Amino acid sequence: MTYLIELKGFQAELCTSELLKAHVLHLQTLYCQKKLLFCGPCKDGSAFFLFSAASQQEALNFLNQDPFIIHSIYQFDRIKEIRLATPENQFLLGK
């Protein structure tokens, strides 16, 4: 299953170089495990993660292990299960 998580409230003043490095290491680990499909910040102070996970709880566990969440750089906003539309599934044509 695929889960989109939106974060809010970026706190730049709390972000140290050590936290940034730990955050990136966490992302790299999840990406190498094929659990993190996409992530990135938005100009409005929000950010998104797209996780491949067995359950919503597993996706939230990935999020809650992130140093940016642990140290309140971002706050959780919402999670949604999504259906990926890709060339491989003909962008959900007929599904």
Side-chain angles (χ1 to χ4, degrees):
M1 292 177 268
T2 306
Y3 294 93
L4 180 68
I5 295 179
E6 185 174 1
L7 307 177
K8 62 182 179 180
F10 179 62
Q11 302 293 314
E13 66 278 2
L14 300 177
C15 188
T16 65
S17 61
E18 283 89 28
L19 278 177
L20 180 57
K21 288 176 188 174
H23 168 68
V24 169
L25 179 61
H26 178 67
L27 299 179
Q28 289 172 329
T29 300
L30 290 172
Y31 184 81
C32 288
Q33 295 171 351
K34 300 188 185 308
K35 298 295 184 181
L36 176 64
L37 306 176
F38 167 87
C39 65
C42 302
K43 288 186 176 185
D44 67 356
S46 64
F48 289 93
F49 285 107
L50 189 62
F51 289 122
S52 175
S55 66
Q56 180 173 310
Q57 187 58 55
E58 183 180 42
L60 290 170
N61 289 345
F62 297 152
L63 177 70
N64 290 329
Q65 294 167 5
D66 189 316
F68 272 17
I69 296 299
I70 293 168
H71 296 279
S72 301
I73 306 299
Y74 280 102
Q75 292 78 47
F76 172 80
D77 188 16
R78 60 185 157 173
I79 185 170
K80 292 186 176 203
E81 184 177 350
I82 66 167
R83 294 172 44 209
L84 284 181
T86 65
E88 292 79 18
N89 65 17
Q90 298 182 354
F91 296 98
L92 302 175
L93 182 65
K95 294 196 179 211

